[in-house]
Amino acid sequence: NSTIAEIVGRLNGTKPPDGFAVTISATCTLYSLGKEYVDNALSWRKHEDCHKKQIADEGWLKFMVKYLFFCITRGYAACPYEVEARLAAIK
């Protein structure tokens, strides 16, 4: 559901029309607003693909618990999973 992607996007400070993306499993990413841009942007795909790999490596539950823990204790920008995904996006 694109509403989930929008909520997560707003929580991490992304505002329309930038678009939102949220990876919810090792095989599924949800997009909202600006879908045409998101689908064609290599950096967005690399970022979300990194999250898919993180989920596959950690397992869904462990990833989600740790991701939420890091976001709560360190903030979204300093979450190690997000740091890794941002680096993957520029490679």
Side-chain angles (χ1 to χ4, degrees):
N1 182 318
S2 63
T3 304
I4 294 169
E6 185 172 344
I7 291 168
V8 172
R10 288 185 186 280
L11 288 174
N12 72 39
T14 306
K15 296 186 174 42
D18 297 338
F20 306 93
V22 59
T23 298
I24 59 170
S25 75
T27 59
C28 182
T29 299
L30 302 176
Y31 298 102
S32 176
L33 301 176
K35 185 175 182 345
E36 297 79 18
Y37 171 76
V38 172
D39 284 346
N40 295 312
L42 182 58
S43 63
W44 279 60
R45 287 198 316 259
K46 287 180 177 181
H47 181 104
E48 298 307 324
D49 286 347
C50 182
H51 287 318
K52 288 177 183 178
K53 183 178 181 324
Q54 292 165 342
I55 293 169
D57 291 347
E58 296 268 350
W60 184 86
L61 182 60
K62 183 177 179 181
F63 171 85
M64 290 299 171
V65 169
K66 288 173 68 177
Y67 184 94
L68 290 173
F69 173 79
F70 288 133
C71 284
I72 291 167
T73 60
R74 300 181 186 187
Y76 171 80
C79 172
Y81 293 117
E82 287 301 328
V83 171
E84 181 181 4
R86 284 194 301 275
L87 290 172
I90 59 174
K91 289 183 181 179

